[in-house]
Amino acid sequence: MIKGFYTAASAMVAGLHRQNVLAQNIANLDTPGFRQILMAADDWYVTPITQAKDDLQPVSGNNTLRKLGYLGLGMETSPEITDFTQGAIKATEGEMDFAIQGAGFFRIQTPDGERYTRDGSFLRDANNQLVTVDGFFVLDDNGQPITLPEGEPSIDEAGLITTDGQQVATLGLAAFTDPETELVRAGLNTFTAAGGITSTETGTVQQGYLEMSNSNLVSLMTQLAGSKAYEANQRIVQMQDEMLGKTIGTLDSL
Amino acid sequence: MADNTSPMVPTFTNLFGISRSSLRARLQNLDTISNDLANVNTTGYKSVRGNFQELLNDSLQNSGTRLESTQRIMTQGTMQSSDSPYNMAIQGNGFFAVTLPNGSTAYTRDGTFGLDADRKIVTADGYPLVWSGTQIPEDVESFTVSPQGLISVYQDGEWTDIGTMKLYRFANPTGLTANGKNLFLASDASGAVLEGDPGVNGYGEVITKMVEGSNVNLAEEMTDMVVTQRSYQFSMRVYQQTDQMLGLALALRR
């Protein structure tokens, strides 16, 4: 009975974790370049259950206990996974708005080192450098900040920036063979990669577009409805508690 | 169990914090949309875009999202013809400069100028335009400004040049500080002011008997408003559901 109590309680803890991820995904529905968090639930520990009954078939080599199967002792949430599939591309017509079609990331320089982002809402700063909305430098293919000359920049699919026909720089794009394991979520729409860039399959850049969140709205709605499971588990915990109370009460009166 | 160093520590406090950050960011974004909609007919108005960012923080209440910055979209507004020769519009980049009562200089795209009692060229709010002269001579029959900024008056049967006007640019016009009344002030983010002759070196041309309308795109703003309201509603649902979950957890033991 105590086993069942902790099983249901572990499901409540996991339910809270799930709600946390859901809230984060919903909060960032309008965040450019946001990659949704996926979460899976796992069986936690399992224990074999046995039954000591003479009239049942004995398990070979053991005459008193019969193996009935396994009992789950609860659930846990496996580590969060980031979903790196392409998000919706929104036309903004902003000359400093860029979207990547494909698996690449923009390289940006932050005080904490190089970061990678899919959020291409850039600006020209007071010193004519290409920066993110936080003022971090956007890097070129050599890892250097990009200084824009006077005039309106245009960019081709490979990331080559030109102003008035003059080549300025090539946007630095990073790609990863296995982004799910190589990249770590770092906030402010960025990711870090301890191992550096591992792939050249960057995709193409489009000017005047922004990539929005890749959260799946329908799936989020469904998950929101799925929170009823929390209530069910709460009931189970309560029932286990009542049963325990009754047992103790009965034993007491004997 | 889930990695303890994971920033997404499942607690009710964190959960409420995520939803709260989302609701707050949505309200702020709605404010910028409302302001854009209110200025759909304001001459020289430039629309504002909110930039959302994902927040991820170990300090429990700071995950979620935020409106990192608002960014002015400096695209050209639609040209509207006007009868007054003192009305001007800029086709291209640049701002008119006007002198504020405290002696400092402000910049505007709103070219609804007129003459005041002292025969100065002033904005609708009475701030004088910066040009090489100060007053327009008396008894002028007509007034015009060439696309290159040459100011001429028609008097006694002939055109006389009485001065020139310049236009002003910034490395990052999106970083200008809004001062109300369609006026902008230079800031650290915008960079120092650059002065130039209209029609050359990337400065726009001056067109008289025209005013530049607002660049607010009504359909886009309405769409953004609907999306923002829905995202708000969605986050509110998560918030309510978290509240119910907390209630259930508290009800475990009555």
Side-chain angles (χ1 to χ4, degrees):
Chain A
M1 185 150 59
I2 288 289
K3 278 180 196 159
F5 184 84
Y6 290 120
T7 306
S10 78
M12 284 182 76
V13 173
L16 194 59
H17 202 154
R18 218 181 55 110
Q19 185 81 352
N20 224 24
V21 169
L22 180 64
Q24 184 79 356
N25 285 337
I26 288 176
N28 288 290
L29 271 176
D30 302 323
T31 305
F34 178 75
R35 303 290 86 164
Q36 72 170 334
I37 306 166
L38 298 179
M39 226 190 58
D42 278 343
D43 254 358
W44 197 1
Y45 291 110
V46 287
T47 187
I49 47 171
T50 48
Q51 195 172 29
K53 271 279 196 170
D54 294 341
D55 54 341
L56 285 174
Q57 293 280 320
V59 178
S60 60
N62 187 334
N63 289 330
T64 50
L65 294 176
R66 183 185 182 253
K67 207 170 178 182
L68 291 178
Y70 290 95
L71 175 71
L73 288 182
M75 67 175 287
E76 64 165 348
T77 51
S78 48
E80 291 140 14
I81 305 161
T82 302
D83 175 11
F84 284 101
T85 52
Q86 179 90 38
I89 304 261
K90 180 180 165 188
T92 63
E93 290 167 24
E95 64 170 18
M96 297 289 185
D97 287 342
F98 305 104
I100 298 173
Q101 185 102 46
F105 292 80
F106 297 110
R107 296 170 62 182
I108 60 174
Q109 186 67 50
T110 75
D112 304 324
E114 188 168 321
R115 299 268 177 96
Y116 308 97
T117 184
R118 293 280 293 189
D119 174 8
S121 51
F122 299 146
L123 293 168
R124 179 201 286 264
D125 78 356
N127 303 316
N128 283 311
Q129 277 171 314
L130 190 65
V131 294
T132 67
V133 291
D134 290 298
F136 301 145
F137 294 132
V138 179
L139 301 178
D140 66 8
D141 50 353
N142 296 318
Q144 297 300 313
I146 299 169
T147 306
L148 298 166
E150 287 276 310
E152 287 170 13
S154 65
I155 191 161
D156 73 2
E157 286 199 338
L160 180 68
I161 307 169
T162 49
T163 50
D164 303 324
Q166 293 285 313
Q167 296 190 1
V168 178
T170 305
L171 263 184
L173 294 178
F176 304 91
T177 44
D178 187 12
E180 282 85 357
T181 54
E182 290 174 55
L183 290 176
V184 177
R185 187 175 286 268
L188 306 183
N189 304 351
T190 65
F191 296 91
T192 53
I197 300 164
T198 52
S199 166
T200 52
E201 299 291 317
T202 56
T204 58
V205 184
Q206 286 170 310
Q207 190 177 20
Y209 295 88
L210 278 184
E211 184 186 3
M212 301 311 289
S213 162
N214 69 344
S215 289
N216 182 337
L217 200 62
V218 180
S219 141
L220 291 179
M221 296 286 284
T222 323
Q223 284 177 42
L224 199 59
S227 298
K228 282 282 169 205
Y230 189 83
E231 194 173 344
N233 283 302
Q234 189 257 7
R235 291 273 159 77
I236 304 280
V237 174
Q238 265 184 340
M239 268 155 63
Q240 299 269 359
D241 183 34
E242 278 163 26
M243 281 164 73
L244 200 58
K246 266 185 197 151
T247 314
I248 293 169
T250 315
L251 288 171
D252 215 26
S253 62
L254 281 176
Chain B
M1 284 298 285
D3 184 4
N4 279 336
T5 58
S6 160
M8 299 287 282
V9 181
T11 67
F12 279 108
T13 330
N14 193 18
L15 246 170
F16 282 127
I18 293 173
S19 298
R20 189 180 55 215
S21 75
S22 171
L23 294 174
R24 186 171 49 208
R26 285 336 187 284
L27 281 181
Q28 287 167 343
N29 198 39
L30 209 54
D31 284 347
T32 66
I33 295 169
S34 313
N35 196 47
D36 281 355
L37 285 172
N39 287 293
V40 72
N41 286 320
T42 306
T43 48
Y45 181 81
K46 297 294 169 201
S47 64
V48 175
R49 174 174 90 188
N51 291 318
F52 285 97
Q53 254 183 357
E54 182 190 14
L55 288 181
L56 211 58
N57 213 315
D58 290 317
S59 58
L60 297 175
Q61 294 171 42
N62 294 333
S63 287
T65 189
R66 70 167 174 184
L67 201 65
E68 205 282 329
S69 59
T70 55
Q71 177 183 345
R72 231 161 247 280
I73 307 297
M74 288 293 175
T75 55
Q76 181 89 41
T78 49
M79 290 292 181
Q80 295 159 358
S81 64
S82 154
D83 289 334
S84 167
Y86 295 102
N87 283 179
M88 305 167 214
I90 302 167
Q91 175 78 53
N93 290 326
F95 292 85
F96 299 112
V98 297
T99 309
L100 295 179
N102 66 10
S104 63
T105 307
Y107 304 91
T108 184
R109 292 280 295 191
D110 178 8
T112 45
F113 295 109
L115 280 191
D116 72 356
D118 297 331
R119 310 196 63 74
K120 286 180 179 167
I121 305 173
V122 294
T123 66
D125 294 301
Y127 303 137
L129 173 74
V130 175
W131 61 291
S132 64
T134 48
Q135 286 164 298
I136 302 295
E138 284 190 45
D139 305 322
V140 296
E141 292 165 54
S142 190
F143 168 95
T144 194
V145 182
S146 77
Q148 283 70 41
L150 188 65
I151 301 175
S152 325
V153 290
Y154 191 73
Q155 215 174 6
D156 304 325
E158 60 179 21
W159 284 100
T160 321
D161 300 339
I162 58 164
T164 54
M165 61 181 292
K166 306 266 189 192
L167 290 182
Y168 300 86
R169 285 177 64 188
F170 299 88
N172 176 22
T174 60
L176 289 166
T177 307
N179 194 42
K181 294 177 179 169
N182 279 342
L183 301 176
F184 297 102
L185 300 177
S187 71
D188 288 344
S190 70
V193 63
L194 309 165
E195 186 185 79
D197 293 318
V200 289
N201 292 331
Y203 289 84
E205 295 188 334
V206 178
I207 301 170
T208 51
K209 289 195 171 182
M210 281 280 188
V211 287
E212 184 184 358
S214 168
N215 75 342
V216 172
N217 180 333
L218 197 59
E220 215 168 85
E221 297 292 339
M222 294 303 281
T223 319
D224 283 353
M225 190 168 77
V226 171
V227 168
T228 305
Q229 279 177 331
R230 288 296 176 201
S231 301
Y232 184 87
Q233 206 177 2
F234 214 169
S235 282
M236 199 49 153
R237 279 285 300 278
V238 176
Y239 193 91
Q240 285 168 337
Q241 206 167 50
T242 308
D243 180 43
Q244 281 168 12
M245 284 167 73
L246 181 59
L248 285 165
L250 289 174
L252 275 174
R253 208 73 172 99
R254 282 153 304 197

